[in-house]
Each structure stands twice: as C-alpha cells, then as structure tokens.
Amino acid sequence: MSPRTNDNEPAGRPVDAPEGDVPDSASAVADSSAAAPEPPAAAQLPAPEAGAQDDERVVAVRRVGAAGRKWRAARLAGCAALLAVALTGGAIAFGAARDGSPATVAASSTAVSPGLLASGDLDSTIAALQAHLRAQPKDYGSWATLGLAYDEQARTKGDPSRYPQAEKALKRSLRLSPDNDQALAGLAALAAARHQFAQALTYADRALKQNPYSERALSSRIDALVELGRYDGASKAADTADARKPGVPVFTRYAYVHELRGDVKTARRVLQQALSTATSRGDIAYVSAQLGQLAWNQGDYETALHHYARALAADENYLPALEGRARAQAASGDRAGAIKGMELVVSRYPLPGPLVELGELYEARGRDGDKAKARDQYSLVDAWIALAKANGVNADLDTALAAADHGDKAAALRAARAEWARRHTVHTADALAWALHVNGKDQEALGHTRQATATGYRNASFLYHRGMIELATGHRKDGRASLSAALKLNPGFSPLGAREARKALEAAK
C-alpha cells in the first residue's frame, strides 16, 4: 500500500482558490518555473489551544493504552479481543450524539450533504445522519453520505469494523436510486480503503459515467490506477481530474504521481500550492502532513517537523502528522520523544505501521524489558490484520511487510506472492523482493527489488532492501552503491534497518 492510501481523502472538502492568487490547476503549478514559496516561519503558525494535549480525553486514552500494554504483557493470547475493544470503544452508539448533546437533524438530503464531513466531528455527523434517516429512510443521498462517513471513520480511527457498515449504507443508497453517482463514488472509495483496487476502478468508472465531475470518483480512479501499478494511466487520470475538478484532493494525488516517478521538485511545488489554497483545518492538516512525509522521505527532518507542526496546529489529533512527527523525531536522534509520540499514536490507532515502528524503537533502545514490549507490538499487528480481514480488508501487503522482519517468514512470502498476483506496483515489488530475501530466495528477489526502484521513486527502504539482496547475490559493488544511496537519501529511514544497512556496508568494504 502506498504512503498515501491511508489518506484517500482530506478531512474536509477542497475550497475555491482565492481569485488572482492561485493557478487553476496542478499542471499549471507543475509547469511554473517560479521558485516554490518558502514555508512560513513557525512563529506565524496558529498555535494549538493551551493544555490541549493534557485534556481529560487525552489523559483517558493514555491511561487505557497503558493498562492495555500491561494486560497484553500478561496475556498476549487475548490481544485480538483487546484490539477489537480498543477500536470500537470510542465509537458512537447508533442514534446517540456524543456527550449526550442533541443531534442537529437536517430537513432534506441536500442539507445532509457530503460537505458535513468537513465539520471535523464525524461522531456527531453520523449521529445526525442516523437520526435523519430514521425519519426519512428513503433519502438515498443521506444513505450515501452516511456510508462515506463510516468509511472516513474507519480510516481516521483505524477501525476496519466500520467498513461493513459503510458498505451496507452505500448499497442501500443504490437500491433506493440505482446508479446514483454519490453512492458509486463512495463504493469506489470504500473498495480502495479495503485495498480492493480493481473493484475501486470499476466503481469509479461507473460513477464518472453518471457524473464526469465527481471529485471523489476522479480521486478514487487515480488511487486505484496507482495501486494497480498502472502509472501511465494514473498520470493521465490525474491530468483529467486536474482539468475537471482542481482542488486539494486532486492536487495531492497529482503530486504523488510525480513523486512515484522521482520528480520530487514538482511534487513539492504542487503540494505547497495545495496548501496555499487550503483554508479548512482538515485540508491544512492533510496537505501539511503530505509535505512532511515528502520531506522525511528525502531525509530533511527539520522541514518535515515544521510541516508536521503546522498539521498539528490545525488538528492536534491528526494521525498521519502524529505518526510522521514521531518518525522524524526518531531520525533526528530524539528517541525519547519518538517513543512517547508513537506510544500515543498506537494507544489511539493501533495500525500496523505505527505498531511495527514502536516495536523497532523499543528494540533500538534496548532497555530491560524492551524486547518484550517490542514483541507485544508485533503481536498486535497480527491481531489488527485478523480484524481487518474479518471486515473485508485485503491485508496481504501489511502481512508481508510486518511478518518478513517480525513474524512468520513463510507467511510473509505467501502474502507477498498473493498481493503480487493482484497488482504490480513498486510497493508490492519491494515487499515480494524482501519476503523472498528473508526466505533465502535471493536470485528470485533480485529482479523484483530492481523493479521496485525502476520508476525513480526515492525511497530509502527500497534502496536498503535492494542493497542487501544485491550483496546476497554477489553483486558487491551494486550492493554497496544501493546501501550508500539509502543512507545518503534518508539516514534515519528505519530504527533497525538503518543500523543494519551501516553494518552491511562496513562488512562489504
């Protein structure tokens, strides 16, 4: 799965660009020869509300997370049940507004629009939609919006149990109004979130036949083509979307298509332009975090931390920014801050990426008890994968990536082969190559690892994997070059991988 797939849509809808200030399209930004604007100074950023990190909700989350970690150490066999409780414990009960406050009930489907998702309070939005639909159960537009809200809730809370609810709501919308583009676009986004990318492309194309200007369908079509490894098609789809519906969702995808081809300069320029058009807190957090990820990928940790700070100033609980900040802190040498930050992330959203990262941070620290703590995190990855699969998510890539280094190596290879059979992307090529390597099949791995880096995508982990496989197959010069390139690009790309890369490079002299 690509770094962007967990963020298929920004939290808010894109806004119109200020007149006379912003180009009409991402391509206009990409073609501009003007220098990219400098990021604003940190002092100019809106500061988070005082005491926000220590409010009662955050304290409660930390308390639950700490209790959960102690419980897991005693009884890891029950971690799947704990994870399911953690994921659903904060979810709103059907029909009940958060904090007991009355829900605002809209009078018609036009009032209960997808724009409500920009409010930043999904629980209250869902409660309002549920109350409205009890009164007007044939409102197909609101059923579609409810499905989109469940999908967004699953993504932002790391809760795959919401996906079946989203599917039911969206399909009910279609039964009430066959081929309505809002439900079809929602099903496209849902399929992408479940990593069912061929299905996502089918739904997106159906939605665009009904409404060629559907922003969600245009965006999901780009996502699906990227994740299917059809990069030329994705580039054309991004150009089409940019011409039809320029805005934050399209700008960010346009940037990612360029990043995959190694054109970091254009990707950065387009994302900076997207940030200049963003006014809602959701959009600011979303685009700032994308800029942070881009900077981190290039080893520019100071800039990455700046962008993550801006994202968190807009939304202090934005998961990608919290996770990205912890990664950048670790790479910058602030291991204590990184562990504290990643512990907060996994206590709220126990997803595979942060769980593995936290486990590796514990291993790298090496205090008494840290190995056991690391094993706890890796065991929870297995629990999340089981829960995801039970809710219709294709988790083979997650399985391959986590199990290759921290689990059942044979299972990692089975999952990587299964994912490769479905789609040929740089990410699946890398995962398959590494799974083959850890299973001692280096000659077969070599072609796949070179395919993973063939587009020009600048990813230090890919280069590390390539270097290790090249060394294992006797290509010492190439292996040293790949490992050196990985460490030059992003010397802190992984708490454990970077250390192993340095050891291997030293041994290969």
Side-chain angles (χ1 to χ4, degrees), residues 49 69 101 155 182 195 265 341 345 371 384 387 426 486:
E49 295 180 12
R69 284 188 291 276
S101 57
R155 184 184 66 79
Q182 187 180 338
H195 307 174
K265 184 177 180 180
V345 170
K371 286 188 177 180
W384 184 92
L387 184 61
V426 294

Side-chain angles (χ1 to χ4, degrees), residues 378-403:
Y378 306 145
S379 294
L380 280 178
V381 173
D382 294 336
W384 184 92
I385 288 170
L387 184 61
K389 288 182 176 179
N391 287 282
V393 178
N394 167 21
D396 279 333
L397 187 57
D398 299 283
T399 300
L401 291 171

Side-chain angles (χ1 to χ4, degrees), residues 362-382:
Y362 286 141
E363 286 196 63
R365 184 174 64 179
R367 290 182 184 173
D368 288 345
D370 275 349
K371 286 188 177 180
K373 287 182 178 181
R375 286 195 297 271
D376 288 358
Q377 309 312 310
Y378 306 145
S379 294
L380 280 178
V381 173
D382 294 336

Side-chain angles (χ1 to χ4, degrees), residues 235-505:
S235 182
K236 292 177 183 177
D239 287 339
T240 298
D242 187 37
R244 292 181 186 175
K245 201 75 174 181
V248 167
V250 172
F251 274 34
T252 53
R253 286 163 173 82
Y254 190 100
Y256 185 50
V257 168
H258 279 272
E259 184 189 354
L260 283 170
R261 295 180 178 276
D263 187 0
V264 173
K265 184 177 180 180
T266 295
R268 183 185 299 113
R269 189 185 304 132
V270 171
L271 285 173
Q272 287 172 333
Q273 186 61 49
L275 185 59
S276 76
T277 73
T279 56
S280 74
R281 287 183 177 270
D283 280 352
I284 292 169
Y286 175 75
V287 181
S288 295
Q290 297 295 302
L291 279 162
Q293 175 72 16
L294 184 65
W296 184 84
N297 280 344
Q298 314 313 311
D300 186 353
Y301 309 134
E302 183 177 351
T303 299
L305 287 167
H306 163 80
H307 287 305
Y308 290 132
R310 182 163 188 178
L312 293 168
D315 180 355
E316 63 177 354
N317 296 311
Y318 189 53
L319 170 62
L322 289 168
E323 181 182 346
R325 182 179 66 180
R327 291 180 191 274
Q329 287 172 325
S332 301
D334 182 8
R335 183 181 292 159
I339 289 176
K340 182 178 179 181
M342 204 63 78
E343 285 175 341
L344 176 60
V345 170
V346 303
S347 72
R348 297 179 179 184
Y349 310 101
L351 297 171
L355 287 166
V356 168
E357 185 83 6
L358 180 57
E360 292 192 349
L361 284 169
Y362 286 141
E363 286 196 63
R365 184 174 64 179
R367 290 182 184 173
D368 288 345
D370 275 349
K371 286 188 177 180
K373 287 182 178 181
R375 286 195 297 271
D376 288 358
Q377 309 312 310
Y378 306 145
S379 294
L380 280 178
V381 173
D382 294 336
W384 184 92
I385 288 170
L387 184 61
K389 288 182 176 179
N391 287 282
V393 178
N394 167 21
D396 279 333
L397 187 57
D398 299 283
T399 300
L401 291 171
D405 286 324
H406 305 294
D408 184 336
K409 293 177 174 55
L413 183 53
R414 286 194 299 272
R417 288 196 190 280
E419 194 65 12
W420 182 251
R422 282 187 286 268
R423 56 194 180 109
H424 291 187
T425 71
V426 294
H427 294 89
T428 52
D430 172 70
L432 177 55
W434 194 241
L436 286 164
H437 168 71
V438 299
N439 281 276
K441 300 178 183 294
D442 291 301
Q443 288 298 333
E444 187 181 354
L446 186 60
H448 291 295
T449 195
R450 289 178 173 173
Q451 188 171 353
T453 55
T455 67
Y457 181 44
R458 293 165 58 81
N459 185 297
S461 291
F462 287 16
L463 290 167
Y464 161 60
H465 291 161
R466 176 171 173 161
M468 297 297 284
I469 292 167
E470 286 170 335
L471 290 179
T473 53
H475 296 81
R476 291 174 61 83
K477 183 178 179 181
D478 290 340
R480 289 196 301 270
S482 294
L483 292 174
S484 296
L487 293 169
K488 182 179 180 181
L489 175 62
N490 185 353
F493 68 88
S494 163
L496 299 183
R499 184 177 68 189
E500 292 304 311
R502 292 185 179 92
K503 287 182 180 179
L505 193 58

Side-chain angles (χ1 to χ4, degrees), residues 122-207:
L122 279 173
D123 289 352
S124 294
T125 297
I126 287 171
L129 286 164
Q130 291 167 335
H132 170 73
L133 286 165
R134 281 195 294 271
Q136 298 188 37
K138 294 185 178 181
D139 183 349
Y140 70 87
S142 290
W143 279 112
T145 304
L146 180 62
L148 294 171
Y150 281 139
D151 185 24
E152 183 75 1
Q153 192 175 57
R155 184 184 66 79
T156 57
K157 294 192 174 185
D159 182 359
S161 70
R162 293 300 184 197
Y163 290 135
Q165 293 174 287
E167 183 177 12
K168 287 179 181 178
L170 290 164
K171 288 190 172 179
R172 183 158 182 176
S173 175
L174 278 184
R175 287 197 300 271
L176 290 167
S177 178
D179 288 331
N180 79 82
D181 69 274
Q182 187 180 338
L184 289 168
L187 285 166
L190 174 62
R194 284 172 151 175
H195 307 174
Q196 298 166 354
F197 299 109
Q199 190 177 76
L201 183 59
T202 297
Y203 278 124
D205 285 340
R206 285 180 61 187

